Amino acid sequence: MWTRPFLFEYPARVRLVGVHFKPWGMSPFVDMPAAELRNRWAPADAVWQRSVDRIRNRVGDAASAAETLRVVEEELRQRLAEAPARGLDLVRHTGGRLETSHGTIPVGALADAAGVSGNHLADLFKAHVGVTPKRMARIYRFARLIVSVDALRPVDWSELAQAAGYFDHAHFSREFKDFTGHTPTEYLALWRRFPLERGGPQDYGPMPAD
C-alpha cells in the first residue's frame, strides 16, 4: 500500500506480469504485518524466499503472459493461508463498505457497527492493509474524484470535489497535492500533455475493480 506519490522508471524493454490485490487481499499470502511493506519496494524474494527463481525456472523467457500468470497463480495458491488471520474478515467487511461508499461512511460508525473500538479497528487495518481505515477512506474518496476527470473536456474542479464529498476547497487542494504531488491545474496539464487511451488502467483508479 502506497500513501504518497511514486514514480515508475522502467528500462527501455521490460516484461511485466503482476497481481492487483484488493487492499486487504495480500494479507492471507504473507507472513508479516502489511504495515511493514507500506511505501516500500520489496523484492518478492524478501517476502517469499526463492519464489522468483522458482517462477523463472518454470516459465522461461519465451512463456506467454497467460502461462506466466498461471504459474504465479499456482504460487499464490500454495502460499494461501488455510485459515483467515485474526480480524481479516472484519477488515474485509469494513473495507468493502468503505469501497462501496467511496470512503464517505464515517469510520467511527463502522467501528460502532462492528462492536469494536476505533483503535482496535485501526490496528487490524494496519496489520492487514498497511494503513488505517481513515487513510483508506481518503484513498477511496480521492479515487472517486480522479476517475471522474475527463481531460478531453473543461474540468470544473469545484463541482467534482463537491460530488466526491470535499466541501472545503483548501482541504481538497491539500488532498490532491498529497495524493498526486501536483495541484489540480498541474495534474490536468500533464494528463493533456501525455494522453492515455480511454479504458486504460488510469480509468479504474488506484483500487482494483473486482
Side-chain angles (χ1 to χ4, degrees):
M1 175 68 75
W2 288 81
T3 63
R4 58 176 180 255
F6 60 93
L7 178 67
F8 283 109
E9 292 186 352
Y10 295 129
R13 298 185 64 182
V14 64
R15 183 169 178 243
L16 293 177
V17 175
V19 180
H20 200 177
F21 289 102
K22 284 282 193 179
W24 50 86
M26 190 173 65
S27 180
F29 300 97
V30 297
D31 189 24
M32 67 176 63
E36 293 185 13
L37 299 173
R38 183 178 60 228
N39 293 327
R40 287 181 54 199
W41 291 113
D45 281 350
V47 182
W48 298 335
Q49 291 186 358
R50 296 182 297 278
S51 64
V52 173
D53 285 340
R54 183 162 54 249
I55 291 172
R56 285 189 182 129
N57 290 337
R58 292 186 61 187
V59 301
D61 294 332
S64 67
E67 291 172 318
T68 306
L69 281 173
R70 179 181 55 77
V71 173
V72 171
E73 183 179 15
E74 290 177 1
E75 183 78 18
L76 286 170
R77 289 181 181 277
Q78 292 176 11
R79 296 182 177 275
L80 179 62
E82 293 183 1
R86 186 182 69 87
L88 179 57
D89 286 340
L90 177 57
V91 169
R92 184 187 296 118
H93 172 73
T94 305
R97 293 193 63 189
L98 286 174
E99 179 184 19
T100 56
S101 70
H102 305 290
T104 59
I105 297 180
V107 173
L110 292 173
D112 290 343
V116 298
S117 70
N119 287 338
H120 180 68
L121 188 62
D123 288 342
L124 290 178
F125 264 74
K126 284 187 284 188
H128 294 295
V129 179
V131 297
T132 65
K134 287 186 177 180
R135 182 75 189 193
M136 187 171 162
R138 289 175 58 199
I139 293 171
Y140 276 126
R141 180 167 58 176
F142 187 76
R144 182 185 190 187
L145 178 138
I146 210 68
V147 298
S148 66
V149 174
D150 185 350
L152 302 180
R153 300 176 181 274
V155 177
D156 186 332
W157 290 112
S158 296
E159 181 180 333
L160 292 179
Q162 187 171 7
Y166 297 97
F167 299 104
D168 180 272
H169 182 74
H171 179 214
F172 161 68
S173 297
R174 288 194 301 271
E175 289 283 274
F176 204 102
K177 190 69 177 286
D178 186 32
F179 279 113
T180 69
H182 300 282
T183 66
T185 301
E186 291 169 345
Y187 176 85
L188 190 60
L190 283 170
W191 199 341
R192 287 171 173 166
R193 183 181 174 190
F194 302 104
L196 297 171
E197 294 182 7
R198 303 299 294 177
Q202 77 283 356
D203 290 322
Y204 298 103
M207 296 296 176
D210 298 317

